[in-house]
Amino acid sequence: MKRVKARMESPERLVCGVAAGMAWKFGWSCFWTRVLWAGATVFMPGVSLLIYFVLALLVDQWKRPV
């Protein structure tokens, strides 16, 4: 469980990087942003995955500068 929590807290992208980008842009916790996206995916899979991947295509400017 510790490895899962460490992976969720890491700012590296897991799928599309939307959750990490949102967390960075708005100053939120990366862990809780990913937990909320996972919860939304479990309870409303079609809608939340559609929104997630649309955001992945539209929000390139949210990527953390290197």
Side-chain angles (χ1 to χ4, degrees):
M1 192 65 178
K2 288 181 182 180
R3 288 191 321 180
V4 171
K5 186 176 180 191
R7 181 66 176 126
M8 295 280 279
E9 290 175 345
S10 172
E12 295 177 15
R13 61 188 225 154
L14 294 180
V15 178
C16 295
V18 172
M22 286 177 69
W24 173 76
K25 177 153 179 80
F26 298 111
W28 299 339
S29 164
C30 192
F31 175 77
W32 288 112
T33 305
R34 285 182 174 151
V35 167
L36 289 175
W37 271 111
T41 303
V42 168
F43 290 111
M44 300 180 304
V47 174
S48 61
L49 286 174
L50 178 67
I51 293 169
Y52 190 86
F53 286 113
V54 166
L55 285 175
L57 294 173
L58 296 177
V59 293
D60 257 354
Q61 66 271 15
W62 284 7
K63 291 185 179 174
R64 181 178 282 191
V66 179

